Amino acid sequence: MPRAAGEPARAVRQLRIEAAKAHGFGKPRAAALMAALARVLPQTGGPVFAGIETWPGDLASDGVIFRLNAGLHALALAGREAGVLGALYRGGAMPSTFALEAALAHALDVHGGDLLGWLAHPTQTNEVARVAGLVAALLELGRSAALPCEVLELGASAGLNLNFPHYAVQLGAVRAGAATSAVTLAPQWRGGGAPEGALSVTAARGVDLHPLDAGLEADRKRLAAYLWPGETARAARLAAAIGIAQTHPPQVDTGLASAWLLQRFAEPQRRGVRRVVFHSMVLQYASAAERAAIDRAFALAGARAEPDRPLVRVSIEWRADRAAVELRIAQWNGAGNGGEARLAALCHPYGEWIDWRGLT
């Protein structure tokens, strides 16, 4: 549909939205990048601008702006835009507005083909900090029944979250996971007291439509490119998690989440083991039909759940209005819990804080 006279371009509107979100979440470099792109892209974006304007799906749900950021970051990491953009992404001196706009105009003009290539691929935001929310959920579930857990992850990317038992996790005053680790997850803890208990995981396995392999240099570079500018601590955490994955390779299957879930649910569940399915910031990329198929898989499996073979769904996803990220827990156990998803916490999109409510 053509734009009305005076109406901002589609890409500009989305960039302004993302800039405001980044500012609200305390990411000034990302906010400056998005605001500068909103000014530069319609003027010098050429095919990149056209590709975003004619995008067949929803720009927000498809993470199109994140894809563009990844392409720009990849250019900086490879030394192909080592000046202003390199400094922006490394956390160096913040460039002036003029310098940033000039650098972006140059990158869009010279590297338009590369950036279009990044737009063509789905995002890979395998942020391990989010898995602290899963750990909190498992500890909360253990308060009512301390069962070992079999964990299944949807949209696992490179499987870094599946290695959470190898991470040290600090939830307020509560410590869980590995006593010592190269990866320490310590989100700012808000709200009620953190649940306590032992963390027992019998197995962890994931699925992704296009999984990455932390053992491959190209995939490691791809993961790094999806970071926002100047996030040095997050980059160090990602590198440490990749190092652990090279020692403890996670199991990630290739496939459609709904079909994979049906296969896993068809496998026998050991008595006395809690089966937990986890997904974080994934559903926005799934079609309505796929989301419905995932829900049906849970409904079918939940109907067979028993008190000593419970099923749990732990989700960390945007609320429908995209104004907040919610950690929700749904349980099926054939004895009073029929799959109602209860709000357990609000979370920072990249795991920097958890505002805990719990299930009691």
Side-chain angles (χ1 to χ4, degrees):
M1 181 179 296
R3 284 186 283 135
E7 181 183 7
R10 185 185 183 199
V12 171
R13 295 197 302 272
Q14 192 60 43
L15 282 162
R16 289 173 177 172
I17 290 171
E18 300 300 345
K21 283 184 182 179
H23 180 76
F25 285 119
K27 306 294 181 185
R29 287 174 181 265
L33 174 68
M34 300 305 152
L37 277 169
R39 294 187 294 269
V40 170
L41 195 62
Q43 307 302 322
T44 62
V48 176
F49 176 63
I52 297 175
E53 283 300 287
T54 59
W55 191 263
D58 180 69
L59 295 181
S61 298
D62 291 345
V64 175
I65 303 306
F66 301 133
R67 301 181 193 206
L68 178 56
N69 165 73
L72 292 167
H73 195 179
L75 292 173
L77 288 171
R80 299 169 66 190
E81 286 290 338
V84 171
L85 288 184
L88 178 77
Y89 280 101
R90 286 193 307 272
M94 186 69 184
S96 67
T97 298
F98 175 80
L100 180 55
E101 290 179 356
L104 289 171
H106 178 268
L108 289 163
D109 179 46
V110 175
H111 306 294
D114 294 273
L115 296 173
L116 283 173
W118 281 88
L119 291 183
H121 293 285
T123 59
Q124 292 282 355
T125 53
N126 199 175
E127 177 47 64
V128 295
R130 295 185 189 125
V131 85
L134 170 64
V135 172
L138 295 182
L139 295 179
E140 176 75 7
L141 291 163
R143 294 172 61 180
S144 58
L147 300 176
C149 296
E150 169 201 0
V151 176
L152 304 172
E153 185 184 14
L154 309 182
S157 186
L160 303 185
N161 284 339
L162 295 170
N163 272 335
F164 71 92
H166 298 289
Y167 304 155
V169 184
Q170 184 78 44
L171 305 173
V174 175
R175 291 188 65 86
T180 60
S181 174
V183 173
T184 296
L185 308 179
Q188 181 186 12
W189 192 262
R190 305 174 182 175
E196 300 185 50
L199 190 65
S200 177
V201 179
T202 63
R205 183 175 178 181
V207 67
D208 197 277
L209 274 174
H210 307 283
L212 299 184
D213 183 349
L216 300 177
E217 182 180 7
D219 285 359
R220 295 195 295 271
K221 289 181 177 179
R222 178 165 286 275
L223 284 170
Y226 283 102
L227 300 183
W228 289 119
E231 296 202 307
T232 53
R234 192 176 168 202
R237 182 170 62 238
L238 173 63
I242 287 173
I244 290 175
Q246 291 175 298
T247 303
H248 302 280
Q251 183 179 359
V252 183
D253 302 321
T254 301
L256 191 65
S258 58
W260 183 84
L261 263 187
L262 288 173
Q263 293 171 347
R264 301 290 76 75
F265 288 159
E267 295 171 351
Q269 181 177 349
R270 287 171 46 199
R271 188 176 300 277
V273 172
R274 177 181 286 118
R275 180 170 278 172
V276 179
V277 181
F278 171 64
H279 53 88
S280 61
M281 311 302 277
V282 167
L283 292 186
Q284 61 184 318
Y285 304 119
S287 67
E290 171 65 355
R291 293 194 296 272
I294 291 172
D295 290 342
R296 285 195 298 271
F298 275 107
L300 289 170
R304 301 192 303 267
E306 302 172 356
D308 57 356
R309 291 189 179 93
L311 172 65
V312 177
R313 181 178 186 175
V314 178
S315 64
I316 299 178
E317 302 284 354
W318 282 109
R319 200 168 63 197
D321 61 5
R322 296 184 69 87
V325 176
E326 298 180 332
L327 190 164
R328 288 187 169 271
I329 301 174
Q331 302 182 66
W332 295 261
N333 64 4
N337 289 311
E340 178 187 358
R342 299 177 60 186
L343 178 66
L346 297 178
C347 303
H348 184 277
Y350 296 99
E352 295 182 8
W353 50 259
I354 296 175
D355 189 348
W356 187 249
R357 281 120 167 98
L359 295 179
T360 57

